[in-house]
Amino acid sequence: MPDLLQIGNITERMQSRLSPAFNIHQLDQYEAAVITHVITNGHAGIPTDLMTSLPNLKAISVYGVGYDAVDAKAAAQLGIVVTHTPNVLNDEVATTAVLLMLSCYRELVRDDAYVRSGRWEAEGNAPLTRSADRQKIGILGLGRIGQAIADKLAPWSPEISYHSRSQKDVPYQYFGSLVDMAAHVDVLICITPGGPATNKLVNAEVLKALGPAGTLINVSRGSVVDETALIEALQQGDLGWAGLDVFEKEPHVPQALRDLPNVVLLPHAGSATVETRAAMGDLTVDNLLQHLQDGSVLTPVPECKDL
Ligand code: NDP
């Protein structure tokens, strides 16, 4: 049987489908020369020195769509195919983005605390919130998930615009400049990949342009937003609200962010439902089993499409 190196946790269902096909090795006990396949997740990825230390490695299957923790270019050069799980999580991550936006607008967390603490009974009605209808919403990264977010927002009758490196064939206003889009919109939703190309794309200037009445939603990667600038903007009232699923050094979340009343925080739960994780797990395993069968894979990352 071929030998698979497991990085990070996998579900029982993944384990039970992989066990008949592979000898599964853990990171604390494996022999480099025998490993032909790796399974990992989007957060752990694989360190490049570990990847290059496996002389017979042929395929890396990532349990997630974001693969910024894998050097896919280096893998392709070595003839190693990297796969990920596009599309099967689009709707779930879009739901998470909408959930965060609505929670900011309608102060879900504040009002939940208001009821639980007994303040409603003691002090009367909670302060009014803001309507999420008919807002100007800018999507940073209009790809598979970005489009699903735009679709899912339709019942709130938004005016949608977007920024990405290239203009798409869509009925939304395109902004070549992120700062210009941030100045135009009420809500900025980040859903680009992580990695060096998008590092701190949302900086102090962008946050300032979004402004005191603005809401930032980040469901992409923590690295996409300058977290220090974000905390400062929220503390000083230069930015109104933030709904965050991802953080620079997760699972560590700065105390300053946790102390702010105008943020809603999630533990990187964008795709974390039973149904969607099952679909992602199935595709992660299907890629490995397909590769065993005939050397092809179902969903290679773009860098590995020609292998
Ligand atoms: P896609 O590749 O389909 O879309 C990415 C979009 O980002 C494209 O429209 C691309 O357009 C744009 N983009 C890429 N680089 C830049 C850049 N430097 N500046 C501006 N725009 C850029 O990916 P998905 O929609 O499938 O996934 C997006 C990301 O979402 C994942 O990579 C992952 O990081 C994150 N994610 C987070 C989850 C969570 O749990 N919070 C779950 C799943 C995904 P163009 O090439 O024209 O610039």
Side-chain angles (χ1 to χ4, degrees), residues 65 141-145 164-166 168 191-193 197 219 245 268 270:
V65 70
L142 192 75
R144 291 173 292 247
I145 301 173
S164 51
R165 293 165 303 182
S166 61
K168 326 276 175 201
I191 187 63
T192 60
V219 284
D245 184 42
H268 200 146

Side-chain angles (χ1 to χ4, degrees), residues 175-199:
F175 281 89
S177 149
L178 176 56
V179 176
D180 288 352
M181 183 170 81
H184 176 76
V185 298
D186 304 303
V187 185
L188 177 63
I189 301 182
C190 308
I191 187 63
T192 60
T198 55
N199 191 45

Side-chain angles (χ1 to χ4, degrees), residues 2-18:
D3 294 85
L4 172 76
L5 179 63
Q6 178 190 331
I7 302 175
N9 294 330
I10 59 174
T11 63
E12 266 175 45
R13 179 184 168 101
M14 292 162 80
Q15 170 107 33
S16 68
R17 291 189 65 211
L18 287 168

Side-chain angles (χ1 to χ4, degrees), residues 230-296:
L230 174 66
I231 292 168
E232 219 169 275
L234 287 163
Q235 282 174 335
Q236 293 174 0
D238 292 338
L239 175 69
W241 294 262
L244 309 170
D245 184 42
V246 288
F247 304 88
E248 268 185 13
K249 295 191 180 115
E250 50 189 65
H252 171 72
V253 177
Q255 191 60 44
L257 210 44
R258 294 196 247 164
D259 288 342
L260 283 164
N262 47 347
V263 298
V264 178
L265 308 172
L266 288 179
H268 200 146
S271 66
T273 62
V274 171
E275 295 83 353
T276 295
R277 285 293 167 83
M280 290 164 63
D282 282 348
L283 184 50
T284 309
V285 172
D286 288 346
N287 270 307
L288 288 167
L289 297 181
Q290 178 80 31
H291 190 263
L292 268 193
Q293 212 171 62
D294 63 7
S296 73

Side-chain angles (χ1 to χ4, degrees), residues 62-74:
V62 179
Y63 176 43
V65 70
Y67 57 96
D68 45 300
V70 177
D71 188 341
K73 255 191 208 150

